[in-house]
Structure formats: C-alpha cells, structure tokens
Amino acid sequence: LDCRVVIPSCHIGEEWDPTMLSSFLDDFDRAQGKPANGYDVVGYSRGGRGAYRLAAANPGRIRTLAVIAAKEMPEVVPRISSLPVFICHGISDERAPVDGARHMNDSLRSTGCNSTLSIVEGDHFIVADVLSDGFVFRWQRDAI
C-alpha cells in the first residue's frame, strides 16, 4: 500500500482525546502535507473507540473509518453517518460482546450510512488476522 501509517498511543486506563489527535493531525499535515481526500482511519479495541471519536470530531478530515473489536459508541452515530464505516468483530469476543458491533452497525445503517459489518471467528484479539488477510484494505479501496 502507498500510505503513511501513524499509530498514536495513550496510557492504560485513559481514553483517546479527539482534540489532542486533531492537533496531532494539524502538525502532521504541516510537516507531511494534507492528504487530498482525507485520512483513512483504522482503530482496534480502545483505539477503535478513539477512531470513532476522532471521526466524530472531524468528519470532514476522514475518508474512511474501520473499527476492529471496539465497544459500540451510539453517541457518535449522527456525526459519522456520512462516512463509509467498516466494523469487524470476533464472534467470541468477551471484552466487547459482538452484539454491540451489531447494534452499532444497525444504528449507522438506519441513518443511511454506508456501514459494513464483518463478524469473524475469534475473540477480542483478532486484529493481526484481520489486518493480515487484507480485507480491511480491500474494503477501503472499494469504499472510496
């Protein structure tokens, strides 16, 4: 893939701050140039919730949003419904039960959002398999 990958981190027990991430993207835009069509954001687990928050705070900067094994965030649905959203979840996830992913997808789709749900074999720790099989990236290319 021809892309830049940025993986921000936060301390255990903390949640992502979209203001801080937006400020980081401002700095990144100045240093590397602003992407012509926006950012493709992928988040896993707590990072998935951060991705939801980032997209809700900056929907105009985001081209696609892919979330893996994250708890649902119904409060962001109205702000991200204009974006293509991919939700991937393990059927046996006990940390973030799959019903939350189903509910999030249904809520998005009820707004007319182009949301796709993929339920895969596995538990909460599916991220390596999901990313290595390439489906997320094929979805992103098809969504744009």
Side-chain angles (χ1 to χ4, degrees):
L1 295 174
D2 180 19
C3 64
R4 292 181 223 146
V5 176
V6 178
I7 304 173
S9 183
C10 68
H11 298 288
I12 293 174
E14 293 182 7
E15 290 289 329
W16 296 96
D17 176 359
T19 304
M20 182 214 44
L21 290 173
S22 297
S23 179
F24 172 82
L25 289 181
D26 292 340
D27 292 343
F28 193 76
D29 288 349
R30 282 190 290 280
Q32 300 294 322
K34 184 182 274 191
N37 298 310
Y39 287 93
D40 297 306
V41 176
V42 178
Y44 161 66
S45 190
R46 186 170 33 142
R49 291 176 54 85
Y52 279 140
R53 282 190 186 96
L54 176 64
N58 301 277
R61 293 178 94 169
I62 308 302
R63 181 168 62 173
T64 63
L65 174 60
V67 177
I68 303 165
K71 292 180 179 174
E72 69 178 309
M73 295 191 72
E75 66 273 17
V76 303
V77 167
R79 299 275 303 149
I80 66 172
S81 62
S82 63
L83 302 172
V85 178
F86 175 75
I87 301 169
C88 186
H89 217 89
I91 190 75
S92 303
D93 190 335
E94 293 181 11
R95 289 179 181 229
V98 71
D99 285 344
R102 288 184 178 117
H103 183 258
M104 188 71 179
N105 185 64
D106 291 345
S107 296
L108 285 164
R109 292 188 64 77
S110 74
T111 69
C113 177
N114 176 12
S115 180
T116 301
L117 175 63
S118 177
I119 298 174
V120 299
E121 289 298 321
D123 58 15
H124 191 72
F125 303 98
I126 59 172
V127 65
D129 291 337
V130 168
L131 293 177
S132 67
D133 86 357
F135 185 77
V136 172
F137 307 112
R138 287 190 301 278
W139 169 85
Q140 282 179 321
R141 282 192 295 271
D142 291 344
I144 53 176

